[in-house]
C-alpha cells in the first residue's frame, strides 16, 4: 500500500527520471529495467486509452477542469497558508504527511473506516484519507499539530495523558481531533453523546474507557475556561 | 488511485457538460466516502471527477408547496441537525442517525447515501456487481452469502442495496429530481433503484450524464406515524443487517394505510406489500405487528448462509410498527 501511495506523488518526477539516461551513458543492449519500463508503458497506454484520457490530453484544456497532472493547490492548515503542486488524486492525508511533514494524522485503513487520519475541516471531523487535497481548498483545516502551537498541550490532549487514554498511541491523534470537534460543538457532552462522537474512531488496544473519561474531563476543563480553546 | 481530471463547476448545467456518456469517462463527486475507496481499489476508474459541492443550489433544506426539498449535496450531519431537534419524520431521522460515524455524516451527502454502491464483498473485490467468476458463473449462491439478499435474489443479482435513507424515503413516497442534458425529470425514489439484468446495467436508473439534484419528501409524510428499526451486528461503523421503515396513516389506533419498506435484504429497497395489506384497517397492537412481520417474509428466498435474515425481518417490521405508535 505504501509503495502505491508513494507512486501517487512521485509520478511526475519518476517519469522525468525515466526520460534521462542512467549516469548520462547510453545503455547497451537489452536490460531488465528497459523491459519493465517498456511493458509498463504499453500497459499504461492501454489503460489511458480505455479511460478516454489520451483523448482529453490531446484536446485543449476544458474550462473548469484541472489535472490529471500536478496543479497548484492552496491549503489553509492550522491558520497557515501552504501552496503545493499536487495531482488531483492526492488525498489530504498524503499531502499532510508526505509533502508537509505533518505526520500527526496517521494512515491506517486508507478507506474511511478507522479514524486514525481524522482532521477537522470547518469545525467538522473528517477522514483525511478520503478527502482530496484539491477539494480542501478555501476551507479551514485543523490538524493535531495545531493543537499545541507553543508546546503546551491542549486540554483534550492533557486529559488523554491524565486519564491513561492511550496504549500504543497510533489512533490517538485521530481520537483527539474527533473529540475536539465534538466538544467545540457540544460544550457539555454526556456519557452517551461521547460514545456517539467517538463512533468513527477505532482503538485496537481497546482503551475506550480511558478515552471516554478523558473527553468528559476535557469538556469540564474547557467550559471552565469559557468554551472553545 | 489512477490519475484523473478534476472539474469544479459552479452550476448544475456546467456540471452536466463536464460529465461523459459512459461511467468510465466521468463520475459525479460529492462526499467521496464511497467513490474514493472504490477508486483506490480500481473497482471504478473514472477519467474525471466532477465536484458538485461548490454548486450552491444543491445544498440545504427548504420547504416548497409540494413538500420538503433536500439538496443532494447536503451533508448528512446537516440533515441530522435539522431533523433531530424538531423530532420530525422519525423514520428518516433514525436512518440518518444510523449512518455512523460522525465523520461519515460530516462528509457523506444525502444524494450520496442513495447512490452509494453495494457493499457486496465480491463486488468490492473486483468480481463485478453480479459477482461472477471468469466462466460467467455466479459466485454468491455457493459462496459466502451471509450478508446477501433474501428477496429479489432469483438472479442475476444477489447484493443488497446499501442505502440507509432509501427505505424511509420510499415509505414516505418521496421523489428525486434528476437533471441531465435534456432537462429535469422527477421520479419516485423507488424508481431510482432496479435489479440489474446484466453485467452492463447498474443498480440505479440514473444515466452517466445525469445528476441527482434534489430529494422531495411530500408534505403528506408529516401526517404519518413513522419509524425505522435497524438490526445490527455492530452498533457503529457498519451497515445494518436488516431494516424496516414504516409510515402509517392512522385513525386513532386503526391503520388506514401502511407503507412497510425493508432495507439491506434485497438489491433494491424492498416494499413488503403483504405486510401492508395485513395492516390495512387493523387496530395496531403487538399481535397485528407480529402478523405483519410474518407477512413481510412471504416470498423470501434465503441463500445457504443467510436464513437468519428472515427472522431479522420479522423482528424489524414488528419493532418498527410498535415504535411508530409508541
Amino acid at each position: 500500500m505504501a509503495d502505491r501511495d508513494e507512486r501517487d506523488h512521485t509520478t511526475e518526477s519518476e517519469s522525468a527520471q525515466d526520460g534521462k539516461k542512467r549516469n548520462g551513458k547510453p545503455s547497451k543492449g537489452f536490460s531488465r529495467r528497459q523491459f519493465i519500463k517498456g511493458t509498463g508503458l504499453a500497459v499504461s497506454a492501454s489503460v489511458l486509452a480505455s479511460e478516454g484520457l489520451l483523448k482529453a490530453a490531446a484536446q485543449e484544456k476544458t474550462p473548469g477542469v484541472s489535472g490529471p497532472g500536478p496543479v497548484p493547490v492552496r491549503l489553509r492548515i492550522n491558520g497557515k497558508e501552504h501552496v503545493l503542486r499536487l495531482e488531483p488524486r492526492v488525498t489530504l492525508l498524503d499531502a499532510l504527511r508526505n509533502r508537509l511533514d505533518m505526520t500527526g494524522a496517521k494512515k491506517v485503513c486508507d478507506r474511511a473506516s478507522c479514524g486514525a487520519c481524522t482532521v477537522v475541516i470547518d469545525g467538522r471531523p473528517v477522514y483525511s484519507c478520503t478527502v482530496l487535497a484539491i477539494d480542501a481548498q478555501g476551507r479551514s483545516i485543523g490538524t493535531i499539530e495545531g493543537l499545541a502551537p507553543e508546546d503546551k498541550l491542549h486540554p483534550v490532549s492533557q486529559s488523554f495523558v491524565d486519564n491513561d487514554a492511550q496504549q500504543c498511541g497510533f489512533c490517538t491523534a485521530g481520537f483527539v481531533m474527533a473529540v475536539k470537534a465534538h466538544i467545540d460543538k457540544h460544550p457539555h457532552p454526556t456519557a452517551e453523546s461521547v460514545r456517539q462522537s467517538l463512533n468513527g474512531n477505532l482503538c485496537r488496544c481497546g482503551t475506550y474507557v480511558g478515552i471516554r473519561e478523558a473527553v468528559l474531563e476535557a469538556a469540564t476543563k474547557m467550559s471552565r475556561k469559557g468554551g472553545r480553546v | 488511485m489512477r490519475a484523473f481530471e478534476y472539474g469544479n463547476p459552479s452550476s448544475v448545467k456546467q456540471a452536466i457538460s463536464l460529465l461523459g456518456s459512459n461511467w468510465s469517462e466521468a463520475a459525479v463527486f460529492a462526499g467521496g466516502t464511497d467513490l474514493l475507496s472504490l477508486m483506490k481499489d480500481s473497482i471504478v476508474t473514472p477519467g474525471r471527477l466532477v465536484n458538485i459541492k461548490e454548486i450552491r443550489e444543491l445544498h440545504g433544506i427548504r420547504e416548497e408547496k409540494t413538500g420538503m426539498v433536500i439538496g443532494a449535496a447536503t451533508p448528512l450531519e446537516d440533515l441530522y441537525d435539522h431533523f433531530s431537534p424538531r423530532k420530525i419524520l422519525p423514520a428518516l431521522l433514525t436512518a440518518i442517525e444510523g449512518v455512523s460515524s460522525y465523520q461519515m455524516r460530516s462528509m457523506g451527502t444525502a444524494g450520496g447515501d442513495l447512490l452509494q454502491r453495494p457493499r457486496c464483498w465480491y463486488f468490492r473485490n473486483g468480481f463485478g456487481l453480479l459477482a461472477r467468476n471468469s466462466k460467467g458463473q455466479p459466485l454468491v449462491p455457493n459462496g459466502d452469502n451471509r450478508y446477501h439478499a433474501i428477496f429479489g435474489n432469483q438472479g442475476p443479482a444477489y447484493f443488497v442495496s446499501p442505502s440507509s435513507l432509501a427505505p424511509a424515503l420510499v415509505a414516505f413516497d418521496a421523489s428525486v429530481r434528476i437533471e441531465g442534458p435534456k432537462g429535469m425529470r422527477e421520479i419516485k425514489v423507488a424508481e431510482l433503484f432496479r435489479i440489474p439484468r446484466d453485467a452492463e446495467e447498474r443498480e440505479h436508473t440514473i444515466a452517466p450524464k445525469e445528476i441527482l439534484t434534489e430529494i422531495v419528501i411530500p408534505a403528506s409524510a408529516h401526517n404519518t406515524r413513522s419509524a425505522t428499526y435497524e438490526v445490527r451486528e455492530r452498533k457503529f461503523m457498519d451497515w445494518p443487517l436488516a431494516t424496516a421503515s414504516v409510515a402509517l396513516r392512522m385513525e386513532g389506533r386503526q391503520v388506514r394505510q401502511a407503507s412497510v419498506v425493508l432495507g439491506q435484504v434485497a438489491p433494491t429497497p424492498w416494499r413488503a406489500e403483504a405486510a401492508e395489506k395485513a395492516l390495512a384497517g387493523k387496530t395496531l397492537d403487538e399481535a397485528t405487528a407480529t402478523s405483519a412481520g410474518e407477512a413481510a417474509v412471504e416470498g423470501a428466498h434465503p441463500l445457504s448462509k443467510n436464513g437468519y435474515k428472515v427472522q431479522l425481518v420479522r423482528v424489524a417490521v414488528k419493532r418498527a410498527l410498535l415504535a411508530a405508535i409508541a
Side-chain angles (χ1 to χ4, degrees), chain B residues 207-248:
Chain B
K209 233 178 165 7
E210 290 183 322
I211 296 175
L212 195 162
T213 56
E214 287 170 335
I215 298 165
V216 187
I217 303 170
S220 59
H222 291 289
N223 305 325
T224 60
R225 304 292 295 268
S226 76
T228 291
Y229 192 89
E230 301 183 332
V231 186
R232 292 176 166 274
E233 196 167 18
R234 293 178 193 83
K235 198 168 175 189
F236 304 123
M237 270 195 156
D238 204 354
W239 282 255
L241 295 169
T243 72
S245 294
V246 302
L248 310 170

mmCIF file of all heavy atoms in Angstrom, chain B residues 207-248:
data_model
loop_
_atom_site.group_PDB
_atom_site.id
_atom_site.type_symbol
_atom_site.label_atom_id
_atom_site.label_comp_id
_atom_site.label_asym_id
_atom_site.label_seq_id
_atom_site.Cartn_x
_atom_site.Cartn_y
_atom_site.Cartn_z
ATOM 1 N N ALA B 207 -28.541 8.035 -15.399
ATOM 2 C CA ALA B 207 -27.619 7.852 -16.530
ATOM 3 C C ALA B 207 -26.290 8.557 -16.245
ATOM 4 O O ALA B 207 -26.226 9.441 -15.396
ATOM 5 C CB ALA B 207 -28.257 8.409 -17.806
ATOM 6 N N PRO B 208 -25.231 8.147 -16.965
ATOM 7 C CA PRO B 208 -23.907 8.746 -16.684
ATOM 8 C C PRO B 208 -23.876 10.273 -16.823
ATOM 9 O O PRO B 208 -23.078 10.925 -16.175
ATOM 10 C CB PRO B 208 -23.005 8.089 -17.738
ATOM 11 C CG PRO B 208 -23.675 6.828 -18.094
ATOM 12 C CD PRO B 208 -25.147 7.068 -17.952
ATOM 13 N N LYS B 209 -24.723 10.822 -17.678
ATOM 14 C CA LYS B 209 -24.687 12.270 -17.895
ATOM 15 C C LYS B 209 -25.741 13.001 -17.055
ATOM 16 O O LYS B 209 -26.100 14.147 -17.343
ATOM 17 C CB LYS B 209 -24.883 12.572 -19.386
ATOM 18 C CG LYS B 209 -23.766 13.479 -19.947
ATOM 19 C CD LYS B 209 -23.956 13.724 -21.407
ATOM 20 C CE LYS B 209 -23.156 14.868 -21.989
ATOM 21 N NZ LYS B 209 -22.167 15.557 -21.214
ATOM 22 N N GLU B 210 -26.259 12.331 -16.040
ATOM 23 C CA GLU B 210 -27.284 12.951 -15.195
ATOM 24 C C GLU B 210 -26.763 13.176 -13.775
ATOM 25 O O GLU B 210 -25.864 12.477 -13.320
ATOM 26 C CB GLU B 210 -28.525 12.054 -15.128
ATOM 27 C CG GLU B 210 -29.302 11.992 -16.427
ATOM 28 C CD GLU B 210 -30.560 11.157 -16.313
ATOM 29 O OE1 GLU B 210 -30.527 10.114 -15.626
ATOM 30 O OE2 GLU B 210 -31.572 11.543 -16.911
ATOM 31 N N ILE B 211 -27.391 14.136 -13.089
ATOM 32 C CA ILE B 211 -27.029 14.431 -11.700
ATOM 33 C C ILE B 211 -28.292 14.406 -10.847
ATOM 34 O O ILE B 211 -29.295 15.036 -11.200
ATOM 35 C CB ILE B 211 -26.367 15.821 -11.592
ATOM 36 C CG1 ILE B 211 -25.050 15.838 -12.359
ATOM 37 C CG2 ILE B 211 -26.133 16.198 -10.129
ATOM 38 C CD1 ILE B 211 -24.383 17.188 -12.406
ATOM 39 N N LEU B 212 -28.232 13.669 -9.759
ATOM 40 C CA LEU B 212 -29.331 13.703 -8.790
ATOM 41 C C LEU B 212 -29.200 15.030 -8.044
ATOM 42 O O LEU B 212 -28.171 15.278 -7.407
ATOM 43 C CB LEU B 212 -29.208 12.510 -7.836
ATOM 44 C CG LEU B 212 -30.421 12.156 -6.979
ATOM 45 C CD1 LEU B 212 -30.273 10.736 -6.452
ATOM 46 C CD2 LEU B 212 -30.624 13.090 -5.821
ATOM 47 N N THR B 213 -30.192 15.905 -8.167
ATOM 48 C CA THR B 213 -30.052 17.256 -7.599
ATOM 49 C C THR B 213 -30.817 17.438 -6.298
ATOM 50 O O THR B 213 -30.352 18.146 -5.411
ATOM 51 C CB THR B 213 -30.534 18.323 -8.599
ATOM 52 O OG1 THR B 213 -31.883 18.024 -8.966
ATOM 53 C CG2 THR B 213 -29.642 18.349 -9.833
ATOM 54 N N GLU B 214 -32.007 16.838 -6.195
ATOM 55 C CA GLU B 214 -32.830 17.094 -5.008
ATOM 56 C C GLU B 214 -33.656 15.869 -4.626
ATOM 57 O O GLU B 214 -34.014 15.053 -5.477
ATOM 58 C CB GLU B 214 -33.799 18.263 -5.285
ATOM 59 C CG GLU B 214 -33.103 19.592 -5.315
ATOM 60 C CD GLU B 214 -33.989 20.729 -5.828
ATOM 61 O OE1 GLU B 214 -34.943 20.480 -6.580
ATOM 62 O OE2 GLU B 214 -33.696 21.883 -5.467
ATOM 63 N N ILE B 215 -33.968 15.808 -3.335
ATOM 64 C CA ILE B 215 -34.892 14.802 -2.811
ATOM 65 C C ILE B 215 -36.127 15.565 -2.349
ATOM 66 O O ILE B 215 -36.000 16.587 -1.672
ATOM 67 C CB ILE B 215 -34.259 14.050 -1.628
ATOM 68 C CG1 ILE B 215 -32.998 13.293 -2.084
ATOM 69 C CG2 ILE B 215 -35.257 13.096 -0.979
ATOM 70 C CD1 ILE B 215 -32.111 12.832 -0.943
ATOM 71 N N VAL B 216 -37.309 15.095 -2.741
ATOM 72 C CA VAL B 216 -38.543 15.787 -2.369
ATOM 73 C C VAL B 216 -39.398 14.860 -1.507
ATOM 74 O O VAL B 216 -39.804 13.783 -1.954
ATOM 75 C CB VAL B 216 -39.352 16.204 -3.622
ATOM 76 C CG1 VAL B 216 -40.542 17.064 -3.208
ATOM 77 C CG2 VAL B 216 -38.467 16.957 -4.612
ATOM 78 N N ILE B 217 -39.644 15.282 -0.273
ATOM 79 C CA ILE B 217 -40.495 14.489 0.620
ATOM 80 C C ILE B 217 -41.865 15.155 0.658
ATOM 81 O O ILE B 217 -41.978 16.313 1.069
ATOM 82 C CB ILE B 217 -39.901 14.425 2.039
ATOM 83 C CG1 ILE B 217 -38.483 13.846 1.981
ATOM 84 C CG2 ILE B 217 -40.788 13.598 2.965
ATOM 85 C CD1 ILE B 217 -37.728 13.953 3.293
ATOM 86 N N PRO B 218 -42.917 14.461 0.190
ATOM 87 C CA PRO B 218 -44.226 15.119 0.098
ATOM 88 C C PRO B 218 -44.733 15.568 1.473
ATOM 89 O O PRO B 218 -44.440 14.924 2.492
ATOM 90 C CB PRO B 218 -45.133 14.031 -0.495
ATOM 91 C CG PRO B 218 -44.430 12.753 -0.230
ATOM 92 C CD PRO B 218 -42.959 13.057 -0.212
ATOM 93 N N ALA B 219 -45.481 16.681 1.471
ATOM 94 C CA ALA B 219 -45.993 17.242 2.727
ATOM 95 C C ALA B 219 -46.824 16.200 3.482
ATOM 96 O O ALA B 219 -46.871 16.204 4.716
ATOM 97 C CB ALA B 219 -46.827 18.487 2.431
ATOM 98 N N SER B 220 -47.469 15.278 2.735
ATOM 99 C CA SER B 220 -48.319 14.269 3.372
ATOM 100 C C SER B 220 -47.538 13.378 4.339
ATOM 101 O O SER B 220 -48.110 12.760 5.238
ATOM 102 C CB SER B 220 -48.976 13.403 2.300
ATOM 103 O OG SER B 220 -47.968 12.773 1.530
ATOM 104 N N ALA B 221 -46.203 13.330 4.168
ATOM 105 C CA ALA B 221 -45.381 12.488 5.059
ATOM 106 C C ALA B 221 -45.527 12.926 6.508
ATOM 107 O O ALA B 221 -45.377 12.113 7.431
ATOM 108 C CB ALA B 221 -43.923 12.538 4.631
ATOM 109 N N HIS B 222 -45.793 14.228 6.695
ATOM 110 C CA HIS B 222 -45.913 14.737 8.070
ATOM 111 C C HIS B 222 -47.181 14.238 8.764
ATOM 112 O O HIS B 222 -47.316 14.362 9.974
ATOM 113 C CB HIS B 222 -45.879 16.268 8.069
ATOM 114 C CG HIS B 222 -44.527 16.818 7.698
ATOM 115 N ND1 HIS B 222 -43.439 16.745 8.524
ATOM 116 C CD2 HIS B 222 -44.095 17.405 6.551
ATOM 117 C CE1 HIS B 222 -42.385 17.291 7.920
ATOM 118 N NE2 HIS B 222 -42.765 17.687 6.721
ATOM 119 N N ASN B 223 -48.119 13.709 7.976
ATOM 120 C CA ASN B 223 -49.364 13.202 8.579
ATOM 121 C C ASN B 223 -49.282 11.711 8.886
ATOM 122 O O ASN B 223 -50.303 11.056 9.083
ATOM 123 C CB ASN B 223 -50.549 13.449 7.632
ATOM 124 C CG ASN B 223 -50.652 14.909 7.267
ATOM 125 O OD1 ASN B 223 -50.362 15.775 8.105
ATOM 126 N ND2 ASN B 223 -51.031 15.197 6.028
ATOM 127 N N THR B 224 -48.065 11.177 8.886
ATOM 128 C CA THR B 224 -47.934 9.752 9.186
ATOM 129 C C THR B 224 -47.272 9.563 10.550
ATOM 130 O O THR B 224 -46.623 10.464 11.062
ATOM 131 C CB THR B 224 -47.033 9.042 8.139
ATOM 132 O OG1 THR B 224 -45.740 9.642 8.171
ATOM 133 C CG2 THR B 224 -47.609 9.138 6.743
ATOM 134 N N ARG B 225 -47.504 8.380 11.132
ATOM 135 C CA ARG B 225 -46.673 7.931 12.259
ATOM 136 C C ARG B 225 -45.620 7.040 11.622
ATOM 137 O O ARG B 225 -45.963 6.139 10.855
ATOM 138 C CB ARG B 225 -47.523 7.120 13.249
ATOM 139 C CG ARG B 225 -48.740 7.851 13.783
ATOM 140 C CD ARG B 225 -48.373 9.002 14.692
ATOM 141 N NE ARG B 225 -47.719 8.565 15.916
ATOM 142 C CZ ARG B 225 -48.381 8.292 17.058
ATOM 143 N NH1 ARG B 225 -49.702 8.410 17.109
ATOM 144 N NH2 ARG B 225 -47.714 7.919 18.127
ATOM 145 N N SER B 226 -44.360 7.312 11.911
ATOM 146 C CA SER B 226 -43.325 6.554 11.203
ATOM 147 C C SER B 226 -42.205 6.130 12.132
ATOM 148 O O SER B 226 -42.027 6.695 13.212
ATOM 149 C CB SER B 226 -42.742 7.390 10.052
ATOM 150 O OG SER B 226 -41.865 8.373 10.543
ATOM 151 N N ALA B 227 -41.472 5.140 11.701
ATOM 152 C CA ALA B 227 -40.302 4.679 12.454
ATOM 153 C C ALA B 227 -39.445 3.804 11.552
ATOM 154 O O ALA B 227 -39.929 3.229 10.568
ATOM 155 C CB ALA B 227 -40.721 3.880 13.687
ATOM 156 N N THR B 228 -38.165 3.741 11.903
ATOM 157 C CA THR B 228 -37.252 2.799 11.271
ATOM 158 C C THR B 228 -36.649 1.952 12.375
ATOM 159 O O THR B 228 -36.314 2.474 13.439
ATOM 160 C CB THR B 228 -36.135 3.543 10.506
ATOM 161 O OG1 THR B 228 -36.700 4.189 9.374
ATOM 162 C CG2 THR B 228 -35.031 2.586 10.042
ATOM 163 N N TYR B 229 -36.560 0.652 12.148
ATOM 164 C CA TYR B 229 -35.858 -0.206 13.093
ATOM 165 C C TYR B 229 -34.732 -0.911 12.357
ATOM 166 O O TYR B 229 -34.943 -1.526 11.313
ATOM 167 C CB TYR B 229 -36.797 -1.230 13.745
ATOM 168 C CG TYR B 229 -36.127 -1.914 14.914
ATOM 169 C CD1 TYR B 229 -36.219 -1.379 16.193
ATOM 170 C CD2 TYR B 229 -35.343 -3.054 14.731
ATOM 171 C CE1 TYR B 229 -35.558 -1.967 17.264
ATOM 172 C CE2 TYR B 229 -34.681 -3.654 15.790
ATOM 173 C CZ TYR B 229 -34.793 -3.102 17.050
ATOM 174 O OH TYR B 229 -34.127 -3.677 18.109
ATOM 175 N N GLU B 230 -33.523 -0.785 12.888
ATOM 176 C CA GLU B 230 -32.353 -1.389 12.259
ATOM 177 C C GLU B 230 -31.818 -2.516 13.137
ATOM 178 O O GLU B 230 -31.601 -2.309 14.327
ATOM 179 C CB GLU B 230 -31.247 -0.337 12.072
ATOM 180 C CG GLU B 230 -31.684 0.850 11.213
ATOM 181 C CD GLU B 230 -30.564 1.856 10.972
ATOM 182 O OE1 GLU B 230 -29.670 1.955 11.839
ATOM 183 O OE2 GLU B 230 -30.603 2.517 9.931
ATOM 184 N N VAL B 231 -31.630 -3.695 12.541
ATOM 185 C CA VAL B 231 -30.964 -4.782 13.275
ATOM 186 C C VAL B 231 -29.504 -4.780 12.844
ATOM 187 O O VAL B 231 -29.206 -4.838 11.646
ATOM 188 C CB VAL B 231 -31.586 -6.157 12.957
ATOM 189 C CG1 VAL B 231 -30.975 -7.225 13.853
ATOM 190 C CG2 VAL B 231 -33.092 -6.110 13.130
ATOM 191 N N ARG B 232 -28.629 -4.684 13.836
ATOM 192 C CA ARG B 232 -27.207 -4.500 13.538
ATOM 193 C C ARG B 232 -26.339 -5.546 14.205
ATOM 194 O O ARG B 232 -26.655 -6.011 15.288
ATOM 195 C CB ARG B 232 -26.737 -3.134 14.052
ATOM 196 C CG ARG B 232 -27.332 -1.971 13.318
ATOM 197 C CD ARG B 232 -26.901 -0.651 13.931
ATOM 198 N NE ARG B 232 -27.220 0.419 13.015
ATOM 199 C CZ ARG B 232 -26.433 0.807 12.030
ATOM 200 N NH1 ARG B 232 -25.255 0.250 11.875
ATOM 201 N NH2 ARG B 232 -26.807 1.758 11.201
ATOM 202 N N GLU B 233 -25.238 -5.859 13.535
ATOM 203 C CA GLU B 233 -24.213 -6.707 14.136
ATOM 204 C C GLU B 233 -23.317 -5.821 15.001
ATOM 205 O O GLU B 233 -22.963 -6.159 16.107
ATOM 206 C CB GLU B 233 -23.397 -7.370 13.023
ATOM 207 C CG GLU B 233 -22.572 -8.540 13.461
ATOM 208 C CD GLU B 233 -22.048 -9.317 12.253
ATOM 209 O OE1 GLU B 233 -22.032 -8.776 11.129
ATOM 210 O OE2 GLU B 233 -21.642 -10.474 12.448
ATOM 211 N N ARG B 234 -22.950 -4.653 14.453
ATOM 212 C CA ARG B 234 -22.175 -3.660 15.197
ATOM 213 C C ARG B 234 -23.010 -2.397 15.291
ATOM 214 O O ARG B 234 -23.702 -2.038 14.349
ATOM 215 C CB ARG B 234 -20.881 -3.321 14.462
ATOM 216 C CG ARG B 234 -19.924 -4.467 14.406
ATOM 217 C CD ARG B 234 -18.684 -4.100 13.633
ATOM 218 N NE ARG B 234 -17.927 -5.297 13.330
ATOM 219 C CZ ARG B 234 -18.186 -6.090 12.293
ATOM 220 N NH1 ARG B 234 -19.151 -5.773 11.452
ATOM 221 N NH2 ARG B 234 -17.490 -7.185 12.100
ATOM 222 N N LYS B 235 -22.884 -1.728 16.417
ATOM 223 C CA LYS B 235 -23.721 -0.551 16.629
ATOM 224 C C LYS B 235 -23.294 0.589 15.707
ATOM 225 O O LYS B 235 -24.117 1.352 15.218
ATOM 226 C CB LYS B 235 -23.609 -0.126 18.096
ATOM 227 C CG LYS B 235 -24.731 0.779 18.538
ATOM 228 C CD LYS B 235 -24.742 0.928 20.046
ATOM 229 C CE LYS B 235 -25.787 1.931 20.483
ATOM 230 N NZ LYS B 235 -25.638 2.224 21.918
ATOM 231 N N PHE B 236 -21.981 0.723 15.514
ATOM 232 C CA PHE B 236 -21.468 1.842 14.727
ATOM 233 C C PHE B 236 -20.611 1.326 13.581
ATOM 234 O O PHE B 236 -20.184 0.181 13.566
ATOM 235 C CB PHE B 236 -20.602 2.764 15.595
ATOM 236 C CG PHE B 236 -21.291 3.288 16.812
ATOM 237 C CD1 PHE B 236 -20.761 3.070 18.068
ATOM 238 C CD2 PHE B 236 -22.475 4.010 16.700
ATOM 239 C CE1 PHE B 236 -21.379 3.565 19.201
ATOM 240 C CE2 PHE B 236 -23.095 4.506 17.826
ATOM 241 C CZ PHE B 236 -22.556 4.277 19.083
ATOM 242 N N MET B 237 -20.314 2.250 12.668
ATOM 243 C CA MET B 237 -19.325 1.991 11.611
ATOM 244 C C MET B 237 -19.627 0.770 10.780
ATOM 245 O O MET B 237 -18.713 0.053 10.383
ATOM 246 C CB MET B 237 -17.946 1.795 12.245
ATOM 247 C CG MET B 237 -17.174 3.061 12.382
ATOM 248 S SD MET B 237 -15.479 2.618 12.719
ATOM 249 C CE MET B 237 -14.639 4.052 12.139
ATOM 250 N N ASP B 238 -20.886 0.498 10.565
ATOM 251 C CA ASP B 238 -21.226 -0.645 9.731
ATOM 252 C C ASP B 238 -22.635 -0.435 9.190
ATOM 253 O O ASP B 238 -23.374 0.376 9.718
ATOM 254 C CB ASP B 238 -21.153 -1.940 10.555
ATOM 255 C CG ASP B 238 -20.914 -3.161 9.674
ATOM 256 O OD1 ASP B 238 -20.926 -3.013 8.435
ATOM 257 O OD2 ASP B 238 -20.727 -4.255 10.232
ATOM 258 N N TRP B 239 -22.957 -1.190 8.174
ATOM 259 C CA TRP B 239 -24.308 -1.139 7.648
ATOM 260 C C TRP B 239 -25.142 -2.131 8.444
ATOM 261 O O TRP B 239 -24.617 -3.150 8.919
ATOM 262 C CB TRP B 239 -24.298 -1.530 6.171
ATOM 263 C CG TRP B 239 -23.823 -0.416 5.286
ATOM 264 C CD1 TRP B 239 -24.599 0.367 4.478
ATOM 265 C CD2 TRP B 239 -22.474 0.045 5.103
ATOM 266 N NE1 TRP B 239 -23.808 1.292 3.825
ATOM 267 C CE2 TRP B 239 -22.514 1.124 4.190
ATOM 268 C CE3 TRP B 239 -21.251 -0.318 5.634
ATOM 269 C CZ2 TRP B 239 -21.382 1.816 3.791
ATOM 270 C CZ3 TRP B 239 -20.111 0.372 5.243
ATOM 271 C CH2 TRP B 239 -20.187 1.421 4.340
ATOM 272 N N PRO B 240 -26.449 -1.863 8.589
ATOM 273 C CA PRO B 240 -27.286 -2.823 9.321
ATOM 274 C C PRO B 240 -27.401 -4.140 8.555
ATOM 275 O O PRO B 240 -27.090 -4.209 7.364
ATOM 276 C CB PRO B 240 -28.651 -2.129 9.386
ATOM 277 C CG PRO B 240 -28.423 -0.715 8.982
ATOM 278 C CD PRO B 240 -27.209 -0.697 8.112
ATOM 279 N N LEU B 241 -27.876 -5.172 9.254
ATOM 280 C CA LEU B 241 -28.099 -6.469 8.615
ATOM 281 C C LEU B 241 -29.478 -6.525 7.960
ATOM 282 O O LEU B 241 -29.673 -7.208 6.952
ATOM 283 C CB LEU B 241 -28.012 -7.585 9.663
ATOM 284 C CG LEU B 241 -26.646 -7.769 10.317
ATOM 285 C CD1 LEU B 241 -26.768 -8.702 11.511
ATOM 286 C CD2 LEU B 241 -25.640 -8.306 9.318
ATOM 287 N N ALA B 242 -30.425 -5.840 8.582
ATOM 288 C CA ALA B 242 -31.782 -5.765 8.033
ATOM 289 C C ALA B 242 -32.464 -4.576 8.679
ATOM 290 O O ALA B 242 -32.240 -4.298 9.861
ATOM 291 C CB ALA B 242 -32.569 -7.041 8.343
ATOM 292 N N THR B 243 -33.274 -3.874 7.904
ATOM 293 C CA THR B 243 -34.008 -2.740 8.476
ATOM 294 C C THR B 243 -35.448 -2.764 7.978
ATOM 295 O O THR B 243 -35.752 -3.359 6.941
ATOM 296 C CB THR B 243 -33.408 -1.374 8.067
ATOM 297 O OG1 THR B 243 -33.698 -1.112 6.687
ATOM 298 C CG2 THR B 243 -31.906 -1.341 8.279
ATOM 299 N N ALA B 244 -36.316 -2.118 8.757
ATOM 300 C CA ALA B 244 -37.687 -1.888 8.301
ATOM 301 C C ALA B 244 -38.028 -0.435 8.564
ATOM 302 O O ALA B 244 -37.778 0.073 9.655
ATOM 303 C CB ALA B 244 -38.659 -2.808 9.037
ATOM 304 N N SER B 245 -38.548 0.240 7.549
ATOM 305 C CA SER B 245 -39.063 1.600 7.707
ATOM 306 C C SER B 245 -40.561 1.546 7.459
ATOM 307 O O SER B 245 -41.001 0.979 6.456
ATOM 308 C CB SER B 245 -38.420 2.551 6.695
ATOM 309 O OG SER B 245 -37.049 2.699 6.965
ATOM 310 N N VAL B 246 -41.325 2.133 8.384
ATOM 311 C CA VAL B 246 -42.778 2.117 8.218
ATOM 312 C C VAL B 246 -43.328 3.543 8.320
ATOM 313 O O VAL B 246 -42.793 4.366 9.057
ATOM 314 C CB VAL B 246 -43.476 1.218 9.277
ATOM 315 C CG1 VAL B 246 -42.959 -0.199 9.191
ATOM 316 C CG2 VAL B 246 -43.293 1.772 10.679
ATOM 317 N N ALA B 247 -44.334 3.831 7.515
ATOM 318 C CA ALA B 247 -45.068 5.103 7.606
ATOM 319 C C ALA B 247 -46.551 4.751 7.589
ATOM 320 O O ALA B 247 -47.017 4.075 6.662
ATOM 321 C CB ALA B 247 -44.716 6.016 6.442
ATOM 322 N N LEU B 248 -47.255 5.161 8.637
ATOM 323 C CA LEU B 248 -48.647 4.730 8.821
ATOM 324 C C LEU B 248 -49.579 5.934 8.839
ATOM 325 O O LEU B 248 -49.327 6.919 9.537
ATOM 326 C CB LEU B 248 -48.785 3.992 10.159
ATOM 327 C CG LEU B 248 -47.783 2.878 10.438
ATOM 328 C CD1 LEU B 248 -47.893 2.420 11.890
ATOM 329 C CD2 LEU B 248 -48.011 1.716 9.479
#
